[in-house]
Amino acid sequence: MTKTITDVICPFCGTLCDDLEVVVSDDGKKLLEVYNSCVIGTEKFLHSQSPDRVTRPRMHQEDGSWKEVSYDEAVEYTAQMLAKAKKPLMFGWSSTNCEAQSVGNEIAEISKSCCDNTAATCHGTSLIAIQDIGLPSCTLGEVKNRADRIIFWGCNPAHAHPRHMSRYSIFPRGFFTGKGQMSRKLIVVDPRVTDTAKMADIHLQVEQGKDYELLNALRVAFKGEWLPDVVAGIPSEKIREAADVLKSGRFGIIFFGMGVTQSLGKNHNIDEAIAVTKDLNEYTKFSIMPMRGHYNVTGSGEVFAWQFGFPYAVDLTRGFARYNPGDTSTIDLLARGEIDAMFTIGSDPGAHFPISAVKHIAAVPSVCVDPHLTPTSGVSKLHVPVAFNGVECGGNCYRMDNVPIDCRKVVEPPEGMLTDEQFLIKVRDRLKQLKGVA
């Protein structure tokens, strides 16, 4: 016999789809089928059932081989590493729950670590802009029920957030958008002709790195002032057409991604995008929202802000929180060789960071806490596999619109395997003993 668990949260991306159905064996140990999820979300669930999955901690040996160790040995190595280091770095947090993040931040305070999350390489610039001038935002439920003007700027949800358009932004029939897609106008700003752009009513094919100029031109077009014939590779007539479409809506939303946050201009692009939103509110109701990627990257920023007062790139080495992105953020610290120990959890910097930063991770004592085999686990001295968040353990997480949601456990982890939170609690308690902290 099997049983079906309904209303399951998908732990892949920041959309946190909450309508999944998961079929498990009667004893709750085997996950069999996943319904309503996108292809990527389904793979996240089914990958937990991989027969060749690593289920015990492994220590890298001098000859390049791996030696299996116990969780107690892994806890001891991690605590000793953090206790001895003068400037350790704790990075990641975006694919784990808020409870584990909170314990991790306690460890960072005790060990006087630098503590950072994956926003440092994606939406950290958004956070800087929001600190500058605020964020007129809303919930995804409001988008579904009210929005008749949608902008996707520098993002491609058809691939990165596959159910975003069908659940919230384009296709669903909402309270005031009863005709679904026919009730809405879609504008896509992207230098490439993506699958999302192919669906757009207007595709503004902006010149690479010219987002700021186009945002500024839209603000000019709203007021009907003079524009050059071409701005950022787009004819002024098309810019004015897009401006008129935006002004004529009843409720609009700008979704922006890494095409804006990590291109030339960075946080100043977001400053201008928020200013565009502010200008549009003189004509209609408009909001703006970052398309957050990892399933709980929004939550990690929230937890950092609760405990440290800053959302990422926090330096605790002096015993109090300092915040200076570009100086206290992860890649900068690694590239300058300032870190003498590396603790990674819920992320994979080895796959995405510059090679100079990855080489430094490989050169210092390092721990990677991750249920997967990744490039980061491959270069770390210790790999600690843990239960899959949102599959084998529950916990609190935040959707991309800052709505907190509790994920639920659907299947048992392999026998004897710890969760992120359980492992971190053991490390924290041992570190307190080593540091003589009550």
Side-chain angles (χ1 to χ4, degrees):
M1 291 289 292
T2 62
K3 57 183 177 180
T4 301
I5 303 172
T6 60
D7 303 317
V8 174
I9 312 296
C10 177
F12 171 65
C13 79
T15 310
L16 289 183
C17 297
D18 56 5
D19 62 341
L20 274 58
E21 296 184 2
V22 178
V23 180
V24 300
S25 58
D26 196 41
D27 59 5
K29 294 182 179 180
K30 189 73 175 174
L31 191 154
L32 304 173
E33 298 284 349
V34 183
Y35 297 107
N36 300 336
S37 179
C38 69
V39 174
I40 310 173
T42 300
E43 179 60 26
K44 176 100 179 194
F45 278 90
L46 296 180
H47 183 64
S48 67
Q49 306 300 296
S50 176
D52 59 351
R53 176 178 168 187
V54 176
T55 59
R56 289 293 179 270
R58 308 176 305 151
M59 188 76 74
H60 224 145
Q61 303 300 298
E62 290 292 334
D63 62 359
S65 63
W66 291 93
K67 177 187 176 184
E68 186 176 300
V69 297
S70 68
Y71 275 106
D72 287 340
E73 290 174 298
V75 167
E76 184 66 22
Y77 176 88
T78 305
Q80 291 282 357
M81 178 189 81
L82 293 171
K84 292 175 183 177
K86 293 182 178 179
K87 195 170 186 177
L89 171 62
M90 302 184 72
F91 174 79
W93 309 109
S94 299
S95 288
T96 188
N97 57 41
C98 293
E99 292 85 351
Q101 292 164 359
S102 181
V103 177
N105 289 347
E106 284 187 69
I107 294 171
E109 287 188 295
I110 296 166
S111 60
K112 294 185 177 180
S113 300
C114 295
C115 204
D116 200 3
N117 59 41
T118 57
T121 55
C122 60
H123 277 280
T125 53
S126 306
L127 297 170
I128 295 171
I130 292 165
Q131 289 164 337
D132 285 344
I133 55 177
L135 187 76
S137 196
C138 63
T139 67
L140 289 174
E142 288 178 276
V143 173
K144 171 186 173 180
N145 286 301
R146 296 180 179 274
D148 59 354
R149 298 293 183 269
I150 312 287
I151 302 178
F152 288 123
W153 198 308
C155 55
N156 183 19
H159 289 182
H161 303 83
R163 298 189 72 215
H164 189 282
M165 292 185 288
S166 61
R167 279 183 57 78
Y168 297 115
S169 51
I170 304 298
F171 301 113
R173 299 172 185 267
F175 195 86
F176 299 106
T177 53
K179 295 182 180 178
Q181 184 183 15
M182 302 302 292
S183 302
R184 299 178 169 96
K185 293 287 186 182
L186 172 61
I187 296 175
V188 173
V189 184
D190 201 303
R192 302 168 300 156
V193 183
T194 63
D195 286 339
T196 305
K198 291 173 184 176
M199 299 167 53
D201 296 287
I202 300 174
H203 176 206
L204 300 178
Q205 197 163 356
V206 63
E207 237 180 90
Q208 185 74 45
K210 296 290 184 71
D211 299 276
Y212 188 92
E213 287 88 336
L214 181 56
L215 287 161
N216 202 265
L218 279 172
R219 298 183 68 191
V220 173
F222 295 151
K223 301 184 183 301
E225 301 292 344
W226 176 85
L227 278 173
D229 292 339
V230 178
V231 178
I234 300 169
S236 59
E237 297 81 15
K238 196 166 186 179
I239 295 172
R240 292 190 189 279
E241 178 192 358
D244 291 339
V245 167
L246 296 174
K247 288 164 62 177
S248 65
R250 292 175 302 167
F251 186 106
I253 179 76
I254 300 173
F255 291 108
F256 65 93
M258 287 178 62
V260 192
T261 65
Q262 296 298 322
S263 62
L264 191 65
K266 296 204 172 184
N267 58 292
H268 299 296
N269 292 338
I270 314 308
D271 285 336
E272 196 69 4
I274 295 170
V276 165
T277 311
K278 179 182 175 183
D279 286 356
L280 279 165
N281 274 283
E282 295 180 13
Y283 308 97
T284 182
K285 171 66 179 171
F286 236 86
S287 293
I288 185 169
M289 189 184 301
M291 292 283 275
R292 305 303 295 270
H294 292 80
Y295 100 97
N296 197 26
V297 63
T298 306
S300 64
E302 294 282 351
V303 176
F304 271 50
W306 300 336
Q307 294 185 266
F308 300 140
F310 305 110
Y312 76 111
V314 179
D315 186 344
L316 298 160
T317 52
R318 296 186 185 178
F320 59 90
R322 293 185 300 137
Y323 169 71
N324 186 17
D327 177 41
T328 58
S329 39
T330 297
I331 291 179
D332 304 280
L333 291 167
L334 289 170
R336 293 196 301 266
E338 294 181 13
I339 299 304
D340 58 353
M342 180 75 179
F343 180 95
T344 306
I345 182 170
S347 65
D348 188 13
H352 307 292
F353 279 13
I355 189 61
S356 58
V358 178
K359 283 181 178 178
H360 192 68
I361 295 174
V364 299
S366 51
V367 176
C368 175
V369 181
D370 201 305
H372 306 89
L373 291 173
T374 66
T376 307
S377 71
V379 300
S380 297
K381 303 295 187 295
L382 173 67
H383 173 213
V384 184
V386 286
F388 275 75
N389 264 277
V391 181
E392 297 167 342
C393 66
N396 188 256
C397 51
Y398 276 72
R399 204 165 61 186
M400 64 170 65
D401 55 354
N402 290 292
V403 172
I405 298 175
D406 278 330
C407 275
R408 56 195 307 189
K409 174 181 176 178
V410 296
V411 69
E412 292 294 331
E415 188 175 348
M417 179 171 280
L418 300 181
T419 67
D420 288 336
E421 185 182 7
Q422 290 169 338
F423 178 73
L424 289 168
I425 287 171
K426 287 177 177 289
V427 171
R428 180 198 63 191
D429 294 345
R430 178 58 179 142
L431 187 61
K432 283 183 175 181
Q433 293 176 349
L434 294 171
K435 289 281 192 178
V437 176

